[in-house]
Amino acid sequence: MSYEFPVTRTQHPKPKPDQSNLGFGKYFTDHMLIMDYDAGQGWHDGRIVPYGPISLDPASCVLHYAQMMFEGMKAYLTPQGKINLFRPDMNAKRLNRTNERMCIPPMDEELFLDAVKAIVKVDADWIPTQPGTALYIRPYIISDEVSFSVEPAEHYHFIIILCAVGAYYDINRGGLTGSHIYVEDEYIRAAVGGTGFAKVGGNYAGGMRATKKALENGCKEVLWLDAHEHKYVEEVGTSNAFFMINDEVITAPLGGSILPGVTRDSTITILRKWGYQVSERRLSIEDIEKASKDGTLQEAWATGTACVISPIGYLRYKGEDIVINGGDVGPVSQKLYDYIYGMQTGVVEDDMGWIVQL
Ligand code: COI
């Protein structure tokens, strides 16, 4: 079954932004998709309307108890003028895993995918083409039930908004660079049993205090350690983390506190295909320090939809810098970036079957 969405076109299209200065989340497109949920009708009344403010009762559940979720995806324009989505089925599946955790009703995957395709097609002329840019897609669900009871709502809105974006980290604008990351051993991001594996706003709000501390210490982001012992590396800011030591690529296992990133999964699959040894296992910050001292720490990088592949050049830990690959972009991170971003933008052949072309 395929779903259709009526379109009300804007009478006031906005000028397109300068592609060399897009930032991340500054330039929203002309339209958005909205769909409603209530217990009787399920998800219904999906429609595309001009982008603009939404009206919410001030007592809406989401404003007080944060019952919400979101996804993040990107669309790209190929040199042949086709629109590429990257593994959107993974987002549809993750949406339902998050919904289950947040007591939000599930959504038919086809409905989600058709909604994403429909809104991207309507605003396709917003997809930027300069190197490092993309059309960022932000689907999200909020509960608009008017109630102060702390219990799952029966009314929700599903909304998709789009924005033309540049590189997530400003510093990367002219190409990849090795970034400074602060190893956070006081605050934690998520504990097993919590919502770390789900894509919910609260995870990000709870992380801001640590990011502020990282910035005050001259770093761009934090490296989160596990909640229990503050010892094992988990994620980098809003992204998954990878370390290459003695030819082994290591990333934290999906044990409940780690976000199952689409780029994380893609990185693991590609590296294994290329013949690298990849382990999803716990790695302590002490082992990283030790590897740095004995010369076996080769590379580190973050992966995410927003940042794609973002190399780590320095880890600030207890006042000292662990320098990785001389602070520069390593060959494996560069190769991964070229391959993944190349596939996404249609300049590298998709031999994984991951691209969905509109
Ligand atoms: C993404 O990588 O898509 C994310 O969701 C990170 C976001 C907070 C910008």
Side-chain angles (χ1 to χ4, degrees):
M1 161 164 189
S2 75
Y3 296 87
E4 306 270 319
F5 304 90
V7 181
T8 308
R9 292 211 170 253
T10 181
Q11 296 306 305
H12 308 285
K14 293 177 272 199
K16 303 291 185 298
D18 169 9
Q19 289 196 22
S20 62
N21 192 22
L22 289 174
F24 200 93
K26 289 200 298 193
Y27 298 104
F28 291 90
T29 64
D30 286 323
H31 300 90
M32 60 188 188
L33 184 141
I34 306 191
M35 187 157 38
D36 307 320
Y37 178 93
D38 63 47
Q41 300 180 83
W43 290 109
H44 66 280
D45 201 17
R47 60 216 181 260
I48 292 174
V49 296
Y51 183 96
I54 53 170
S55 158
L56 275 185
D57 190 293
S60 292
C61 177
V62 64
L63 299 177
H64 303 271
Y65 307 134
Q67 199 198 0
M68 65 84 68
M69 65 78 56
F70 72 91
E71 268 301 324
M73 319 162 66
K74 280 176 174 171
Y76 306 84
L77 198 65
T78 72
Q80 293 74 33
K82 301 274 190 234
I83 300 167
N84 277 358
L85 299 178
F86 185 68
R87 310 188 75 185
D89 53 304
M90 300 265 299
N91 299 91
K93 290 192 174 67
R94 189 171 63 187
L95 170 131
N96 278 324
R97 287 199 302 273
T98 300
N99 284 12
E100 202 280 326
R101 178 65 180 82
M102 298 303 286
C103 298
I104 296 172
M107 180 178 287
D108 175 25
E109 284 180 27
E110 282 310 306
L111 176 59
F112 170 80
L113 293 170
D114 285 354
V116 168
K117 290 175 190 168
I119 183 68
V120 169
K121 277 187 192 159
V122 166
D123 277 339
D125 58 343
W126 278 81
I127 305 176
T129 50
Q130 275 196 15
T133 64
L135 186 75
Y136 188 75
I137 307 168
R138 173 55 62 85
Y140 64 106
I141 299 174
I142 52 174
S143 54
D144 65 333
E145 184 119 340
V146 176
S147 168
F148 277 164
S149 296
V150 183
E151 59 187 9
E154 293 194 341
H155 293 264
Y156 299 86
H157 288 309
F158 170 72
I159 301 175
I160 308 178
I161 51 177
L162 311 170
C163 56
V165 297
Y168 184 62
Y169 294 118
D170 246 17
I171 195 168
N172 288 355
R173 202 176 286 152
L176 298 185
T177 48
S179 52
H180 284 73
I181 301 294
Y182 186 84
V183 182
E184 178 53 59
D185 55 4
E186 177 190 4
Y187 300 112
I188 56 135
R189 174 184 172 274
V192 175
T195 56
F197 71 91
K199 209 132 171 77
V200 301
N203 290 346
Y204 297 79
M208 287 178 190
R209 182 65 192 83
T211 307
K212 184 163 177 271
K213 189 171 142 195
L215 293 171
E216 285 160 3
N217 279 276
C219 293
K220 185 162 76 173
E221 257 304 350
V222 299
L223 175 65
W224 295 107
L225 300 180
D226 74 286
H228 188 50
E229 296 178 73
H230 294 211
K231 180 173 169 187
Y232 297 101
V233 296
E234 296 226 318
E235 297 193 3
V236 184
T238 63
S239 313
N240 296 113
F242 285 76
F243 296 86
M244 187 165 170
I245 298 176
N246 210 11
D247 288 339
E248 178 193 10
V249 179
I250 306 158
T251 193
L254 299 179
S257 59
I258 304 292
L259 187 82
V262 177
T263 317
R264 174 190 181 278
D265 182 84
S266 308
T267 297
I268 294 171
T269 309
I270 291 165
L271 286 176
R272 285 190 178 142
K273 190 182 104 162
W274 285 346
Y276 288 89
Q277 182 197 346
V278 185
S279 310
E280 295 176 71
R281 68 167 176 88
R282 302 224 289 179
L283 173 68
S284 69
I285 186 68
E286 276 76 26
D287 281 346
I288 293 175
E289 264 189 314
K290 197 164 141 280
S292 164
K293 290 199 178 108
D294 68 20
T296 53
L297 175 60
Q298 294 156 290
E299 278 190 54
W301 62 87
T303 66
T305 297
C307 72
V308 191
I309 302 288
S310 181
I312 300 170
Y314 307 84
L315 290 176
R316 174 87 36 89
Y317 184 48
K318 296 195 188 299
E320 304 275 323
D321 271 350
I322 302 173
V323 183
I324 307 172
N325 190 45
D328 264 339
V329 180
V332 179
S333 7
Q334 185 69 57
K335 197 166 136 189
L336 277 167
Y337 178 83
D338 292 343
Y339 184 64
I340 295 176
Y341 186 67
M343 198 191 303
Q344 290 170 332
T345 50
V347 297
V348 166
E349 192 195 337
D350 169 23
D351 51 3
M352 308 300 292
W354 284 343
I355 296 296
V356 172
Q357 207 155 65
L358 308 192

